[in-house]
Amino acid sequence: MDFDFTEEQTLLADAVGGYLDGAYDLEARRKAVASDAGWRPEVWKALAEDLGVLGALVPEEAGGLGGGGVEAMIVMRAVGRSLALEPYLETAVLGVGLLKRAGGDRAAALMGQIAEGRAVVAFAHDEPRGRHGLLRVETTARRDGDGWRLDGAKAVVAAAPWATHLIVSARTSGEATDEDGVSLFLIEAASAGEGLSLRAYPTVDGRRAAEVEIDGLGLPADALLGVEGGAFEAVIAPALDEAVAGQCAEAVGVLEQMHAQTLDYVKQRRQFGRAIGEFQVLQHRLVDTFAAVQLATSLSYMATLKLTAPAEERARAASAAKVGVARALRFVGQAAVQTHGGIGMTDELALSHYFKRATVIEQQLGGVEPHLTRFIALTEPVSVAADGALVDA
């Protein structure tokens, strides 16, 4: 199979990588993390206006470039290498993935705003009792006259403090873990009123998230995105798989940096009159971490190339990649910190920031356990109970 990029994809990789590498040195990132905003709106603007990559996955008829998974993979790998704070995954990958599958005039208009850099979208799906599961929706939506009324809570909604719009999953019928009965609703944050409240906080990797409380929030009829009750299988599941593939690509960028920085360190750090990189035990460790980075890279490619496959094949590939990449993040990150010793977790060393981001990626969009459970359920003749336990078919 040919894994070479096309000429256009190579130019995209060079342009995005070059820009983010220049914009995000360690000191610039630390200042942005400590600022009131917590991110760099000027970088978001440049991604839209100078590079045009916020619309990379937006259909051409909505003002985008009409790209696919490979373009997302290229950008996300650069995001991982630079540790960029901007919510590219949440908005330009996951948000656009939801909107283009849901369809409709409001979705098309919002995708155009994303491409222009005028909108930031966060997907409010995980809930306090969800335990990182892929499907547990207790938030409810009921008809109220010509509109809707929503009640519920969402947990750890990444990028929500920056969002101009929230896409919220809510149950219009069925039980908490049923696939049927889940719908999507679009909320404009600025005009939501008292029915919507956000408790924002910094995450361990320097980004921002929020707990979202929805209490009798009234929405117009056109806030419903897509078909009532049919959002999970048709919209949410494929969009989440697309986001998982993108995040695996981001993880590859993080892994490459952790390995490269550790390799540089063992060449410079000296003990007993020679570089510690000459010690055989450390050479073996670096070979193992290099192999883990290469495996994660292959898994990232697999997940990306399977995004257009039939649903079960796509889901198996995404979950397999998530499990393998998460394990690589833990192994390579721990090995890098241990090799550096005490300085490996100091704020002054870039490695510590990559390690923290790796720790968050490991759990974000579902950790090892829910994705491994999902992979087994799609591969073996077993079923999955509501509590996540495997049951013989």
Side-chain angles (χ1 to χ4, degrees):
M1 183 176 290
D2 183 8
F3 291 110
D4 290 335
F5 291 150
T6 65
E7 182 178 354
E8 291 79 8
Q9 290 166 345
T10 301
L11 291 172
L12 174 64
D14 291 343
V16 177
Y19 173 75
L20 289 177
D21 288 345
Y24 263 103
D25 57 67
L26 179 59
E27 188 57 31
R29 187 180 190 275
R30 290 173 63 186
K31 287 182 178 178
V33 169
S35 68
D36 291 339
W39 68 315
R40 301 176 66 190
E42 70 275 13
V43 171
W44 191 251
K45 182 179 180 181
L47 291 174
E49 297 180 359
D50 299 339
L51 298 174
V53 295
L54 292 188
L57 275 66
V58 174
E60 293 182 7
E61 57 270 23
L65 301 178
V70 174
E71 285 72 27
M73 179 183 70
I74 290 170
V75 177
M76 288 304 303
R77 194 167 178 173
V79 168
R81 284 199 307 268
S82 64
L83 284 186
L85 296 166
E86 283 62 49
Y88 190 88
L89 177 72
E90 292 82 0
T91 297
V93 180
L94 180 51
V96 168
L98 294 167
L99 291 167
K100 69 183 180 183
R101 289 176 174 86
D105 293 340
R106 290 199 70 185
L110 183 53
M111 284 191 289
Q113 294 174 33
I114 291 171
E116 295 169 359
R118 297 190 293 115
V120 174
V121 173
F123 181 36
H125 179 60
D126 291 343
E127 300 197 349
R129 297 206 300 168
R131 298 179 61 84
H132 299 289
L134 302 178
L135 175 60
R136 187 181 184 90
V137 179
E138 295 181 342
T139 297
T140 60
R142 64 182 188 277
R143 292 191 177 274
D144 184 22
D146 293 334
W148 298 90
R149 187 163 297 275
L150 273 61
D151 291 277
K154 299 294 182 177
V156 199
V157 182
W162 304 324
T164 58
H165 297 75
L166 297 176
I167 298 176
V168 177
S169 59
R171 185 162 294 284
T172 48
S173 64
E175 301 299 324
T177 57
D178 291 348
E179 286 192 9
D180 293 335
V182 178
S183 303
L184 288 178
F185 295 88
L186 181 63
I187 300 174
E188 295 185 25
S191 59
E194 296 181 356
L196 177 72
S197 62
L198 275 65
R199 180 172 62 85
Y201 49 84
T203 52
V204 69
D205 57 349
R207 302 174 88 243
R208 302 285 173 95
E211 303 298 296
V212 178
E213 295 288 339
I214 305 171
D215 184 11
L217 177 64
L219 295 174
D222 64 354
L224 175 68
L225 296 174
V227 178
E228 179 185 345
F232 186 79
E233 183 177 356
V235 180
I236 296 175
L240 282 175
D241 286 340
E242 197 169 75
V244 166
Q247 192 174 64
C248 286
E250 179 189 2
V252 169
V254 172
L255 286 163
E256 289 173 336
Q257 284 296 311
M258 290 194 295
H259 177 76
Q261 290 172 21
T262 306
L263 186 60
D264 287 343
Y265 177 76
V266 300
K267 291 178 180 178
Q268 298 171 23
R269 179 75 166 89
R270 300 183 67 83
Q271 282 186 344
F272 308 111
R274 56 177 177 163
I276 63 173
E278 297 180 22
F279 300 148
Q280 192 174 60
V281 65
L282 289 181
Q283 292 176 356
H284 288 171
R285 175 178 290 183
L286 285 165
V287 168
D288 290 341
T289 59
F290 176 76
V293 174
Q294 296 306 303
L295 176 59
T297 303
S298 297
L299 289 170
S300 169
Y301 273 72
M302 177 191 69
T304 299
L305 295 175
K306 292 291 187 180
L307 289 175
T308 56
E312 287 195 2
E313 187 177 351
R314 179 205 72 224
R316 280 197 303 268
S319 287
K322 177 66 178 183
V323 171
V325 169
R327 289 174 171 171
L329 286 166
R330 176 168 294 196
F331 173 69
V332 175
Q334 290 180 348
V337 170
Q338 290 167 359
T339 303
H340 278 78
I343 65 170
M345 285 303 295
T346 59
D347 190 62
E348 291 76 14
L349 194 71
L351 176 68
S352 70
H353 300 269
Y354 284 95
F355 180 74
K356 291 172 184 176
R357 181 60 187 149
T359 302
V360 172
I361 292 174
E362 187 181 341
Q363 293 297 328
Q364 196 174 8
L365 298 179
V368 168
E369 184 177 347
H371 277 285
L372 185 57
T373 300
R374 182 193 193 207
F375 176 81
I376 294 172
L378 290 168
T379 305
E380 301 293 341
V382 297
S383 59
V384 183
D387 61 359
L390 298 180
V391 181
D392 289 337

